[in-house]
Amino acid sequence: MARRLSIVILLIVLGGAALYFWNKGASSSVMTANTDASSISSSTKDNESTSTATVAVESAEKTQTTEIASNQEPAQMVPRKLRLPKSESGKVKLNLQNAEFVDSRIFEETDWKIWKNVRAIPKVAGEPPQEIVGDTSAYYLVKDEGADPNAFVAANPVVVYDPRLGIPGIVTGRFSVVLKSGISTDLLTQNLGLKILSGFPDIRTYFVTSPTEPFDLKELQDVLNSDPGIESVEMEILRKRYEKN
């Protein structure tokens, strides 16, 4: 009887142990499944968030690009400038047929020569009746009695020509003068009695001419070149470069 009771008790203990371990395994499986499900859910949410953010950024960039493009003014076609033939690009062609060029002491250190029997007429006066042989930016050059450099008058400037460069020029009677450092403009106005037309004090440069007309260009040039208070002197010559035919 006692032996049978012992066997029953042992079976009960073994059954309880087996039930305990079975419950524990089931609980562990449920927890693992819950953890995996949670991880999958979290990963899915992260992916969805990342995808949503990416779509939002791309959408914002597209919107910004569209707004910038819509705010810009449409590009306009710029018409090309017509390239005229050389015969039409300038109103006056230089005519050197039967031209005479005379050397002068005024231009002895340059290539300039006096263009004989050619006169300069301001363009503001209109096209002259005389034969036009050339022009500069402000003057027509016509066949006529030329100006006298020994009795210069600003209204009738001297016409010159540079055969090396192939261009005419107009002698205006003005000289560009650079004073030496520390020299006052009184040298020009009081000592030399000249008229200052304009100046650039920062670089000590002044444009001067004779206060009276007519005057001798060479004589005025010599006076300026010989004064010890003057650093450099240059006669003003207006010029225009012509296109080669």
Side-chain angles (χ1 to χ4, degrees), residues 3-4 17 34 47 68 87 106 138 173 180 188 218 222 230-231:
R3 184 176 179 182
R4 186 178 294 177
N34 290 337
N47 290 336
I68 292 175
S87 60
I106 304 174
K180 290 184 177 180
L188 302 174
K218 179 59 178 174
D222 289 342
I230 296 177
E231 185 174 298

Side-chain angles (χ1 to χ4, degrees), residues 107-125:
F107 314 107
E108 57 189 0
E109 296 182 0
T110 71
D111 293 316
W112 292 108
K113 300 178 184 297
I114 294 178
W115 194 345
K116 190 176 180 182
N117 297 325
V118 172
R119 182 182 175 190
I121 297 179
K123 288 184 176 180
V124 294

Side-chain angles (χ1 to χ4, degrees), residues 35 42 82 106 144 152:
T35 303
S42 177
L82 295 177
I106 304 174
D144 203 343
F152 182 85

Side-chain angles (χ1 to χ4, degrees), residues 41-53:
S41 176
S42 177
S43 176
T44 303
K45 288 181 179 179
D46 291 341
N47 290 336
E48 290 178 353
S49 299
T50 303
S51 177
T52 302

Side-chain angles (χ1 to χ4, degrees), residues 8-183:
V8 171
I9 293 172
L10 178 61
L11 291 173
I12 292 173
V13 170
L14 291 174
L19 182 61
Y20 170 77
F21 285 110
W22 184 86
N23 289 333
K24 185 176 181 181
S27 176
S28 176
S29 298
V30 172
M31 290 180 64
T32 302
N34 290 337
T35 303
D36 293 340
S38 176
S39 299
I40 293 171
S41 176
S42 177
S43 176
T44 303
K45 288 181 179 179
D46 291 341
N47 290 336
E48 290 178 353
S49 299
T50 303
S51 177
T52 302
T54 302
V55 171
V57 170
E58 291 177 351
S59 177
E61 290 178 348
K62 290 180 179 179
T63 302
Q64 183 178 7
T65 303
T66 303
E67 289 177 355
I68 292 175
S70 64
N71 289 335
Q72 291 177 346
E73 295 183 359
Q76 296 182 356
M77 296 295 290
V78 179
R80 291 184 179 181
K81 293 183 178 180
L82 295 177
R83 182 175 296 179
L84 298 176
K86 289 184 178 180
S87 60
E88 298 178 16
S89 59
K91 292 183 178 180
V92 179
K93 288 296 180 181
L94 193 61
N95 180 7
L96 300 179
Q97 187 175 4
N98 300 323
E100 288 186 64
F101 306 115
V102 180
D103 291 331
S104 172
R105 293 187 304 114
I106 304 174
F107 314 107
E108 57 189 0
E109 296 182 0
T110 71
D111 293 316
W112 292 108
K113 300 178 184 297
I114 294 178
W115 194 345
K116 190 176 180 182
N117 297 325
V118 172
R119 182 182 175 190
I121 297 179
K123 288 184 176 180
V124 294
E127 189 169 324
Q130 299 97 321
E131 179 185 354
I132 300 175
V133 295
D135 75 330
T136 65
S137 57
Y139 294 88
Y140 288 113
L141 308 181
V142 301
K143 284 190 175 183
D144 203 343
E145 184 179 356
D148 183 0
N150 299 320
F152 182 85
V153 178
N156 187 22
V158 176
V159 180
V160 293
Y161 180 76
D162 185 332
R164 182 178 65 86
L165 297 177
I167 57 174
I170 302 295
V171 179
T172 64
R174 305 190 339 160
F175 289 83
S176 173
V177 175
V178 179
L179 297 178
K180 290 184 177 180
S181 181
I183 300 299

